[in-house]
Amino acid sequence: MISQFKRILIGKPLRSNELHSQKLSNVKALAILSSDALSSVAYGPEQILIVLAAVGMLAYWYSLPIAVGVLVLLGALILSYRQIIYAYPQGGGAYMVAKENLGKHYGLVAGGSLLIDYILTVSVSVSAGTDAITSAFPALHPHNVVIAVGLVALLTLLNLRGLTESASVLAYPVYLFVLSLMIMIGMGLYQVLTGQAPADARPPLGTPVMGVSMFLILKAFSSGCSALTGVEAISNAIPNFRDPAPRNAAFTLALMGGILATLFAGIVFLAYWYGIAPSKTETVLSQLGTSIFGRNLLYYFLQGTTALILVLAANTGFSAFPLLAYSLAKDKYMPRAFMVRGDRLGYSNGIITLGLASILLIIVFNGHTESLIPLYAVGVFIPFSLSQTGMIVKWVREKPPGWIGKLLVNLSGALICYLILAIFYITKFGQVWMTLVFIPACVYVFHKIYQHYQAVGEQLRVNLAQKITDLDNMDNMVIVPVAGVTTVVKQTLHYAKSLSDNVVAVYVGSSPEAIDRMEKEWNEWQTGVRLVTLHSLYRSVLGPLSEFIDLMKKKAAQTNTRVTVVMPQFITRKWWHSFLHNQSGFLILAYLLKMKSVIVTIVPYQLKQ
C-alpha cells in the first residue's frame, strides 16, 4: 500500500540509463534555475527606495546611479560565473572555486553559506508569496503558516518527481512573469516617450539633497544588491544541463543576466519617472502597475504572476541545494546519503532535507521571515566574494591566454562584493550577526563528519599485500534468547544448532511461577538445547540478559571461543500489525549491536496472516 501511494505521488522509478531524459533544456533550465534571481526584481528596486526615503523624495534620483552600480556588479558576476562554468564543469560553483584555489576551509565557508542561503531562499520566497496570496484574500491570513508549509510540501513533491517534470510545471509562471514585466516596461517607456507620463512627479536629476552621504548611498546600493540573489545557482547545477552542459549553462547564465538587467533597469527608471515612493500598504511594483495600466486586467495579471514567481523562486533552492550537498558529500563533508539518486534519478535526500528545514524555519518564525532577508543577502555575498577571490588566485597562478582581462573582471567583482559585505555588517549587524554563528557551526559540523569518515576508513582499510593468517577455526558459543515455546523459537534453534553444538537458550522471567512454567514446557519439548532461566526482580529482560552475555564472554575469552547471539524475530504481514506486538526484541537487538566481541544474528519468521 505504501509503495502504491509512493508511485502515485512521485511516479514510477526510472532506470539509471534514463538519466539523460532528466537533463534540462535551456528553456526549462532558465525557468527552474533563474526563478530566484528574476523574482528579486519584485523587491530589489524597492529596497533602494526604502533607504533613500529616509532623506526624502528629492533623493529618489540617486536610485538611477545606484542602479547603474548594481548592473555593473551584475555584469561582473555574470562574467565571473561564466568563467567558473567552463573552469569547473562538474558543478559546485563557489564551493569548488574556493576549495581548489583558497583551501578547503574557505570552500567549506562558501558551501555552508550557500546551503543556509538555499534554505532561506525557500522559506523567504514561499512566505513572501503566501503574504501576496493572503493580501488578496484576507480571510486566509490566519492560515499563513499552514499555506506556506503546504506550498513547500508541494514544491518538494514536484522536485521528487524529477527535474524535467517540475520544470515543465514551473516554466509557465516564470515566463508569464517576465512577459508581464516586459509589457509593463514597454508601455511605461511608450508613455514616457509620448508625453503621457506625468512630467512633474519626479525630482530633477542632479538635485542637491541635504543629508545624502556616501554612507547612505552605499547602504542603498547594498540593499539594491538583494536583486542579485540566485545568480550563482546555474554554476552549481551544470550537471543538470543537456550536453554540451558547460556551453548550455553559460548561454543560460548570459540570457538570465540579460533579462535580469533589463527588468531591473526598467523598473528603477520607471519608478523614478513616475515618482513612485515606497509604501507600507502597497509594493513599488504594484504602484507602478497601477500608474501604467490602471486597475485593469493587465494589472491583476502582473500581480498574479508576481505572487506566483515569489513562491516559485523557492525552486531555485530545490535545484541547487541537492547538487551542492552532493559535492560536499563526495568530499566526505556531508553524509553519503546525499550522493544517492532516488527513484526519479534526483538526489531525493537533498530535496527532502531542504523541504523539512524550510518548513521548520517557517514554523519557528510563524511565517514572518522578512527579518531574514538581510541574512539571506549576506549568505549570498559571502560565496560571491570567495568565488571572485578564488578565480583571482587561479588566474595569477595559471596565467592562461587573456588572463589579465579575466583577472580585472574578478578583481572588480571581489572589491564590490567585499564592500557590500562590510556595509551589511556595519549597517545591519543586528540582523546579520547570526551568520557569525551559523556558518562557523556549519563548518564545524563538516569537519566532524569528515573526521568520522576518515576514522572509519582507517579502521576498515585492508592491506591487500598482507597474507591472512588468523582465519583458523574457532569454537562458537551460541546464545538464543527465548520468550516462550513457539514456532519462531523452533526455527531459530535449528539455525543455531547448525552453527555449533554449544547452544544455550536463555529465558528471563518476572516471577518464579513463570520460570517454573517455562522450565516444565521446555523439558517436555525435548530440544536437546540447555535452557538457562534468569529471574528479573524489576521486570526488565535486558538487564539480566546482558549480565549473562557478559559472563559468557569472559568464559569464552579463556577458551578462544566466539560468542554469537541468535535472535528469534517474527515479522508481521502488514505494517500496522507490528504496533500490536511487544517491541522488546528490537530493543534487545539495538543493545546487543553495541556490545563488543559479540556477533548478532537475526532469524526472521514471516507470519502468514
Short mmCIF file of all heavy atoms in Angstrom, two decimals, residues 164-209:
data_model
loop_
_atom_site.label_atom_id
_atom_site.label_comp_id
_atom_site.label_asym_id
_atom_site.label_seq_id
_atom_site.Cartn_x
_atom_site.Cartn_y
_atom_site.Cartn_z
N THR A 164 12.73 17.29 -15.00
CA THR A 164 12.00 17.69 -16.20
C THR A 164 10.53 17.90 -15.91
O THR A 164 9.89 18.80 -16.47
CB THR A 164 12.17 16.64 -17.32
OG1 THR A 164 11.74 15.36 -16.83
CG2 THR A 164 13.61 16.54 -17.77
N GLU A 165 9.98 17.07 -15.02
CA GLU A 165 8.56 17.21 -14.70
C GLU A 165 8.30 18.49 -13.92
O GLU A 165 7.35 19.23 -14.20
CB GLU A 165 8.08 16.00 -13.91
CG GLU A 165 6.57 15.88 -13.85
CD GLU A 165 6.11 14.46 -13.53
OE1 GLU A 165 6.87 13.52 -13.79
OE2 GLU A 165 4.99 14.33 -13.05
N SER A 166 9.15 18.79 -12.94
CA SER A 166 8.96 20.03 -12.18
C SER A 166 9.21 21.24 -13.06
O SER A 166 8.51 22.25 -12.95
CB SER A 166 9.90 20.05 -10.97
OG SER A 166 11.25 20.04 -11.36
N ALA A 167 10.20 21.15 -13.97
CA ALA A 167 10.49 22.29 -14.85
C ALA A 167 9.33 22.55 -15.81
O ALA A 167 9.01 23.70 -16.12
CB ALA A 167 11.76 22.01 -15.65
N SER A 168 8.68 21.48 -16.27
CA SER A 168 7.54 21.64 -17.17
C SER A 168 6.40 22.40 -16.50
O SER A 168 5.72 23.21 -17.12
CB SER A 168 7.04 20.26 -17.64
OG SER A 168 8.06 19.59 -18.34
N VAL A 169 6.20 22.14 -15.21
CA VAL A 169 5.13 22.81 -14.47
C VAL A 169 5.51 24.24 -14.13
O VAL A 169 4.68 25.16 -14.24
CB VAL A 169 4.80 22.02 -13.17
CG1 VAL A 169 3.79 22.78 -12.32
CG2 VAL A 169 4.27 20.64 -13.51
N LEU A 170 6.77 24.45 -13.72
CA LEU A 170 7.18 25.75 -13.19
C LEU A 170 7.61 26.74 -14.25
O LEU A 170 7.73 27.93 -13.96
CB LEU A 170 8.33 25.54 -12.19
CG LEU A 170 8.02 24.62 -11.01
CD1 LEU A 170 9.26 24.42 -10.16
CD2 LEU A 170 6.90 25.18 -10.16
N ALA A 171 7.83 26.28 -15.48
CA ALA A 171 8.30 27.19 -16.53
C ALA A 171 7.25 28.25 -16.87
O ALA A 171 7.58 29.42 -17.09
CB ALA A 171 8.69 26.41 -17.77
N TYR A 172 5.99 27.86 -16.89
CA TYR A 172 4.94 28.79 -17.33
C TYR A 172 4.85 30.03 -16.45
O TYR A 172 4.85 31.16 -16.97
CB TYR A 172 3.59 28.07 -17.39
CG TYR A 172 3.53 26.99 -18.44
CD1 TYR A 172 3.61 25.64 -18.07
CD2 TYR A 172 3.43 27.29 -19.79
CE1 TYR A 172 3.59 24.64 -19.02
CE2 TYR A 172 3.40 26.30 -20.76
CZ TYR A 172 3.48 24.97 -20.37
OH TYR A 172 3.45 23.98 -21.32
N PRO A 173 4.77 29.90 -15.11
CA PRO A 173 4.68 31.11 -14.28
C PRO A 173 5.90 32.03 -14.43
O PRO A 173 5.75 33.25 -14.40
CB PRO A 173 4.59 30.56 -12.86
CG PRO A 173 4.06 29.18 -13.01
CD PRO A 173 4.63 28.69 -14.29
N VAL A 174 7.10 31.45 -14.60
CA VAL A 174 8.31 32.26 -14.72
C VAL A 174 8.25 33.10 -15.99
O VAL A 174 8.48 34.32 -15.98
CB VAL A 174 9.57 31.38 -14.71
CG1 VAL A 174 10.82 32.23 -14.99
CG2 VAL A 174 9.71 30.67 -13.38
N TYR A 175 7.91 32.46 -17.11
CA TYR A 175 7.86 33.20 -18.37
C TYR A 175 6.69 34.16 -18.43
O TYR A 175 6.78 35.23 -19.06
CB TYR A 175 7.84 32.22 -19.55
CG TYR A 175 9.18 31.58 -19.78
CD1 TYR A 175 9.36 30.20 -19.65
CD2 TYR A 175 10.29 32.34 -20.12
CE1 TYR A 175 10.60 29.61 -19.84
CE2 TYR A 175 11.54 31.77 -20.32
CZ TYR A 175 11.68 30.41 -20.18
OH TYR A 175 12.92 29.83 -20.37
N LEU A 176 5.60 33.83 -17.76
CA LEU A 176 4.48 34.76 -17.69
C LEU A 176 4.84 36.00 -16.88
O LEU A 176 4.43 37.12 -17.21
CB LEU A 176 3.24 34.06 -17.09
CG LEU A 176 2.54 33.04 -17.98
CD1 LEU A 176 1.43 32.33 -17.22
CD2 LEU A 176 1.98 33.70 -19.24
N PHE A 177 5.61 35.81 -15.82
CA PHE A 177 6.08 36.94 -15.01
C PHE A 177 6.98 37.85 -15.85
O PHE A 177 6.82 39.09 -15.84
CB PHE A 177 6.84 36.42 -13.79
CG PHE A 177 7.54 37.50 -13.00
CD1 PHE A 177 6.82 38.37 -12.20
CD2 PHE A 177 8.93 37.63 -13.06
CE1 PHE A 177 7.47 39.36 -11.45
CE2 PHE A 177 9.58 38.61 -12.32
CZ PHE A 177 8.84 39.48 -11.52
N VAL A 178 7.93 37.27 -16.58
CA VAL A 178 8.81 38.06 -17.44
C VAL A 178 7.98 38.80 -18.49
O VAL A 178 8.21 39.99 -18.76
CB VAL A 178 9.86 37.15 -18.11
CG1 VAL A 178 10.67 37.93 -19.14
CG2 VAL A 178 10.79 36.54 -17.07
N LEU A 179 6.99 38.11 -19.07
CA LEU A 179 6.13 38.73 -20.08
C LEU A 179 5.37 39.92 -19.50
O LEU A 179 5.29 40.99 -20.11
CB LEU A 179 5.15 37.70 -20.64
CG LEU A 179 4.11 38.22 -21.65
CD1 LEU A 179 4.82 38.74 -22.90
CD2 LEU A 179 3.11 37.12 -22.00
N SER A 180 4.80 39.74 -18.29
CA SER A 180 4.02 40.81 -17.68
C SER A 180 4.89 42.03 -17.40
O SER A 180 4.47 43.18 -17.62
CB SER A 180 3.35 40.32 -16.39
OG SER A 180 4.31 40.04 -15.39
N LEU A 181 6.13 41.82 -16.94
CA LEU A 181 7.03 42.95 -16.67
C LEU A 181 7.48 43.61 -17.96
O LEU A 181 7.61 44.84 -18.03
CB LEU A 181 8.24 42.48 -15.88
CG LEU A 181 8.02 42.19 -14.39
CD1 LEU A 181 9.33 41.86 -13.71
CD2 LEU A 181 7.38 43.37 -13.68
N MET A 182 7.73 42.81 -18.98
CA MET A 182 8.12 43.38 -20.28
C MET A 182 7.01 44.26 -20.84
O MET A 182 7.26 45.34 -21.40
CB MET A 182 8.48 42.27 -21.27
CG MET A 182 9.80 41.57 -20.97
SD MET A 182 11.21 42.69 -21.14
CE MET A 182 12.57 41.53 -21.04
N ILE A 183 5.76 43.80 -20.71
CA ILE A 183 4.62 44.60 -21.17
C ILE A 183 4.53 45.89 -20.38
O ILE A 183 4.34 46.98 -20.95
CB ILE A 183 3.31 43.79 -21.04
CG1 ILE A 183 3.31 42.60 -22.01
CG2 ILE A 183 2.10 44.68 -21.28
CD1 ILE A 183 2.14 41.66 -21.81
N MET A 184 4.72 45.80 -19.05
CA MET A 184 4.64 46.99 -18.22
C MET A 184 5.76 47.98 -18.57
O MET A 184 5.52 49.19 -18.72
CB MET A 184 4.74 46.61 -16.74
CG MET A 184 4.57 47.78 -15.78
SD MET A 184 5.04 47.40 -14.08
CE MET A 184 6.83 47.36 -14.25
N ILE A 185 6.99 47.48 -18.72
CA ILE A 185 8.11 48.36 -19.05
C ILE A 185 7.93 48.96 -20.43
O ILE A 185 8.16 50.17 -20.64
CB ILE A 185 9.44 47.58 -18.95
CG1 ILE A 185 9.72 47.21 -17.49
CG2 ILE A 185 10.60 48.40 -19.52
CD1 ILE A 185 10.88 46.25 -17.32
N GLY A 186 7.47 48.13 -21.38
CA GLY A 186 7.24 48.63 -22.74
C GLY A 186 6.18 49.73 -22.78
O GLY A 186 6.38 50.79 -23.40
N MET A 187 5.07 49.50 -22.10
CA MET A 187 4.01 50.50 -22.07
C MET A 187 4.46 51.75 -21.31
O MET A 187 4.12 52.88 -21.68
CB MET A 187 2.75 49.92 -21.44
CG MET A 187 2.02 48.93 -22.33
SD MET A 187 0.44 48.37 -21.63
CE MET A 187 -0.49 49.91 -21.61
N GLY A 188 5.23 51.55 -20.24
CA GLY A 188 5.73 52.68 -19.46
C GLY A 188 6.65 53.56 -20.29
O GLY A 188 6.53 54.80 -20.28
N LEU A 189 7.59 52.94 -21.02
CA LEU A 189 8.50 53.71 -21.86
C LEU A 189 7.75 54.41 -22.99
O LEU A 189 8.09 55.55 -23.36
CB LEU A 189 9.58 52.78 -22.44
CG LEU A 189 10.58 52.20 -21.43
CD1 LEU A 189 11.52 51.22 -22.12
CD2 LEU A 189 11.38 53.32 -20.77
N TYR A 190 6.72 53.74 -23.51
CA TYR A 190 5.90 54.38 -24.56
C TYR A 190 5.21 55.62 -24.01
O TYR A 190 5.19 56.67 -24.68
CB TYR A 190 4.87 53.37 -25.07
CG TYR A 190 3.89 53.96 -26.07
CD1 TYR A 190 4.26 54.17 -27.40
CD2 TYR A 190 2.61 54.33 -25.67
CE1 TYR A 190 3.38 54.73 -28.31
CE2 TYR A 190 1.71 54.89 -26.57
CZ TYR A 190 2.10 55.08 -27.89
OH TYR A 190 1.22 55.65 -28.78
N GLN A 191 4.68 55.52 -22.80
CA GLN A 191 4.02 56.68 -22.19
C GLN A 191 5.02 57.80 -21.91
O GLN A 191 4.69 58.98 -22.05
CB GLN A 191 3.31 56.26 -20.90
CG GLN A 191 2.11 55.35 -21.13
CD GLN A 191 1.49 54.86 -19.83
OE1 GLN A 191 1.86 55.30 -18.74
NE2 GLN A 191 0.53 53.93 -19.94
N VAL A 192 6.24 57.43 -21.52
CA VAL A 192 7.27 58.45 -21.28
C VAL A 192 7.63 59.17 -22.59
O VAL A 192 7.73 60.40 -22.64
CB VAL A 192 8.53 57.80 -20.66
CG1 VAL A 192 9.70 58.78 -20.66
CG2 VAL A 192 8.24 57.34 -19.24
N LEU A 193 7.84 58.39 -23.67
CA LEU A 193 8.26 58.96 -24.95
C LEU A 193 7.15 59.79 -25.60
O LEU A 193 7.45 60.76 -26.33
CB LEU A 193 8.69 57.84 -25.90
CG LEU A 193 9.96 57.08 -25.49
CD1 LEU A 193 10.21 55.90 -26.41
CD2 LEU A 193 11.17 58.01 -25.50
N THR A 194 5.90 59.44 -25.36
CA THR A 194 4.78 60.17 -25.97
C THR A 194 4.23 61.27 -25.08
O THR A 194 3.24 61.91 -25.43
CB THR A 194 3.65 59.18 -26.34
OG1 THR A 194 3.23 58.48 -25.16
CG2 THR A 194 4.11 58.19 -27.39
N GLY A 195 4.86 61.46 -23.90
CA GLY A 195 4.42 62.53 -23.01
C GLY A 195 3.19 62.21 -22.20
O GLY A 195 2.62 63.11 -21.56
N GLN A 196 2.76 60.94 -22.18
CA GLN A 196 1.58 60.57 -21.41
C GLN A 196 1.90 60.38 -19.93
O GLN A 196 1.00 60.41 -19.09
CB GLN A 196 0.96 59.28 -21.97
CG GLN A 196 0.50 59.40 -23.41
CD GLN A 196 -0.04 58.08 -23.94
OE1 GLN A 196 -0.79 57.38 -23.25
NE2 GLN A 196 0.34 57.73 -25.16
N ALA A 197 3.18 60.17 -19.62
CA ALA A 197 3.57 60.01 -18.22
C ALA A 197 3.63 61.38 -17.55
O ALA A 197 3.89 62.40 -18.21
CB ALA A 197 4.94 59.34 -18.15
N PRO A 198 3.37 61.45 -16.25
CA PRO A 198 3.40 62.75 -15.55
C PRO A 198 4.78 63.40 -15.67
O PRO A 198 5.80 62.72 -15.52
CB PRO A 198 3.07 62.39 -14.10
CG PRO A 198 3.33 60.93 -13.99
CD PRO A 198 3.04 60.35 -15.34
N ALA A 199 4.81 64.68 -15.92
CA ALA A 199 6.07 65.38 -16.16
C ALA A 199 6.69 65.95 -14.90
O ALA A 199 7.89 66.26 -14.87
CB ALA A 199 5.85 66.50 -17.18
N ASP A 200 5.90 66.12 -13.85
CA ASP A 200 6.40 66.78 -12.65
C ASP A 200 6.40 65.88 -11.42
O ASP A 200 6.44 66.35 -10.29
CB ASP A 200 5.57 68.03 -12.36
CG ASP A 200 4.08 67.71 -12.23
OD1 ASP A 200 3.71 66.55 -12.52
OD2 ASP A 200 3.31 68.61 -11.85
N ALA A 201 6.32 64.56 -11.62
CA ALA A 201 6.22 63.65 -10.48
C ALA A 201 7.59 63.29 -9.91
O ALA A 201 7.68 62.72 -8.83
CB ALA A 201 5.49 62.37 -10.89
N ARG A 202 8.65 63.64 -10.64
CA ARG A 202 9.98 63.19 -10.24
C ARG A 202 10.87 64.37 -9.90
O ARG A 202 10.71 65.47 -10.47
CB ARG A 202 10.61 62.39 -11.39
CG ARG A 202 10.81 63.24 -12.62
CD ARG A 202 11.08 62.43 -13.87
NE ARG A 202 11.28 63.30 -15.03
CZ ARG A 202 10.29 63.84 -15.72
NH1 ARG A 202 9.03 63.60 -15.37
NH2 ARG A 202 10.53 64.62 -16.76
N PRO A 203 11.84 64.18 -9.02
CA PRO A 203 12.82 65.24 -8.76
C PRO A 203 13.81 65.31 -9.92
O PRO A 203 14.19 64.27 -10.48
CB PRO A 203 13.51 64.79 -7.48
CG PRO A 203 13.36 63.30 -7.48
CD PRO A 203 12.04 63.02 -8.15
N PRO A 204 14.26 66.49 -10.31
CA PRO A 204 15.22 66.60 -11.42
C PRO A 204 16.53 65.91 -11.09
O PRO A 204 16.97 65.87 -9.94
CB PRO A 204 15.41 68.12 -11.56
CG PRO A 204 14.23 68.73 -10.89
CD PRO A 204 13.84 67.79 -9.79
N LEU A 205 17.14 65.35 -12.12
CA LEU A 205 18.45 64.70 -11.94
C LEU A 205 19.47 65.73 -11.47
O LEU A 205 19.52 66.86 -11.96
CB LEU A 205 18.91 64.08 -13.26
CG LEU A 205 18.22 62.80 -13.71
CD1 LEU A 205 18.66 62.42 -15.12
CD2 LEU A 205 18.51 61.67 -12.76
N GLY A 206 20.30 65.34 -10.52
CA GLY A 206 21.35 66.21 -10.01
C GLY A 206 20.90 67.17 -8.94
O GLY A 206 21.70 68.02 -8.50
N THR A 207 19.63 67.07 -8.51
CA THR A 207 19.14 67.96 -7.45
C THR A 207 19.95 67.73 -6.18
O THR A 207 20.03 66.61 -5.68
CB THR A 207 17.66 67.68 -7.15
OG1 THR A 207 16.91 67.84 -8.34
CG2 THR A 207 17.14 68.63 -6.07
N PRO A 208 20.60 68.80 -5.64
CA PRO A 208 21.33 68.62 -4.38
C PRO A 208 20.37 68.36 -3.23
O PRO A 208 19.33 69.01 -3.12
CB PRO A 208 22.06 69.95 -4.20
CG PRO A 208 21.34 70.93 -5.06
CD PRO A 208 20.69 70.17 -6.16
N VAL A 209 20.71 67.39 -2.40
CA VAL A 209 19.83 66.98 -1.30
C VAL A 209 20.63 66.94 -0.02
O VAL A 209 21.67 66.28 0.07
CB VAL A 209 19.20 65.59 -1.57
CG1 VAL A 209 18.24 65.22 -0.44
CG2 VAL A 209 18.50 65.56 -2.91
#
